[in-house]
Structures are given as structure tokens and as C-alpha cells.
Amino acid sequence: MASDKGFPTNLATYDWATVLNNHRQTDIILPDFTLTVDTQTQTPWYCITGKMLKWIEAFLQHRSQFHVVNGCHSSTSLVTSRVPQGSVLGPTLFLIFINDIVTKCSTSTLTLFADYCCVYCPINSGNDLRALHQDLTNLHNWSNK
């Protein structure tokens, strides 16, 4: 179950193995919030102020890109995503963006590793399914906001 990037976490894998060994059901959802973060227009900067805030804002604004294939260059176009993929600062900015996501799951377990997210919940009854569905609705609403 664990990927070559180290996800899911060892805790999630242990939890899942325990449930399987007890012949019980666990529902596992792997939402992808990278697009949600890439299209952010408002950044929750928390306690970042002053020169550091200005530096981060400058890093995120007015970026352009072009592609090179076999020595031929494409035309330059503006980058519209907010978190630059492949940058050193990208994973840290991603974590700042999703910092409050863990408060959206009241019943399910939510684990994060870099830009991977995993939501899982043991299912013992219809109430567990409804609670999982509510957590997923909360995550959906969070991503739309």
C-alpha cells in the first residue's frame, strides 16, 4: 500500500493492517488538493509579516515559463498557479495553505505527507458511513472555499 514516495504513512498502514486482521472494513479516500492549492487567490499567511511576506509574495507573482524540446523554445506564457511545482519553497507553501485541513475531519483520520492526503475511517455501522460522508463534505466545502 505504501508508495515509493513514502505515503501512506506508517501509522495509516498499521491502522489498516489492524482492521484487516480483525476482518473489518475501513474506507480509504485519497483526495488530491494540489489543484485547489494551485488556484488559491487568497493566501492564509498566519504569522508571516514584513520582509518575509513581501519576499514570498514576490516569489509567487509575475512568473512566466517556456518549454524547450530538441533545442526549440516555445513562446513565454504567464504562470497562473499559485504554488510553483518543483520549487524548493513549493512544499512549504503547500503546507501553509492546507494547515487547517485537519480540523475538517471530526470522525475520520486524516494523514498528510508532503502534498499527499489520506482520509480513512473504520466502518462498523451506518453511522460510521454517515460520519465519513460528513467529513468528506466538510473537506469538499473547505476546498471550494
Side-chain angles (χ1 to χ4, degrees):
M1 288 185 195
S3 74
D4 59 337
K5 295 184 179 182
F7 185 79
T9 64
N10 289 337
L11 175 60
T13 305
Y14 175 80
D15 289 347
W16 301 345
T18 301
V19 169
L20 288 173
N21 285 339
N22 292 326
H23 305 286
R24 295 177 38 217
Q25 173 183 337
T26 292
D27 286 4
I28 303 166
I29 298 90
L30 303 168
D32 183 0
F33 290 113
T34 53
L35 182 60
T36 299
V37 173
D38 284 347
T39 57
Q40 283 283 338
T41 56
Q42 189 83 17
T43 307
W45 290 116
Y46 302 102
C47 298
I48 301 173
T49 60
K51 289 181 179 181
M52 178 63 75
L53 178 59
K54 289 185 184 308
W55 181 81
I56 292 172
E57 287 174 341
F59 176 73
L60 294 174
Q61 296 173 356
H62 310 296
R63 291 177 292 117
S64 61
Q65 68 182 13
F66 66 92
H67 301 278
V68 179
V69 177
N70 295 329
C72 296
H73 295 4
S74 69
S75 58
T76 302
S77 60
L78 291 177
V79 176
T80 57
S81 64
R82 295 286 289 168
V83 177
Q85 298 296 313
S87 70
V88 173
L89 193 54
T92 301
L93 293 176
F94 182 84
L95 292 175
I96 290 171
F97 277 119
I98 64 167
N99 187 49
D100 66 335
I101 194 173
V102 295
T103 64
K104 305 308 172 197
C105 288
S106 59
T107 303
S108 308
T109 301
L110 188 142
T111 60
L112 298 168
F113 178 80
D115 60 351
Y116 296 94
C117 178
C118 176
V119 180
Y120 63 97
C121 182
I123 304 298
N124 298 308
S125 68
N127 288 336
D128 293 336
L129 282 173
R130 284 185 284 284
L132 174 60
H133 185 266
Q134 183 58 54
D135 285 345
L136 295 176
T137 299
N138 293 344
L139 290 173
H140 176 77
N141 292 339
W142 172 88
S143 70
N144 284 337
K145 180 182 173 190

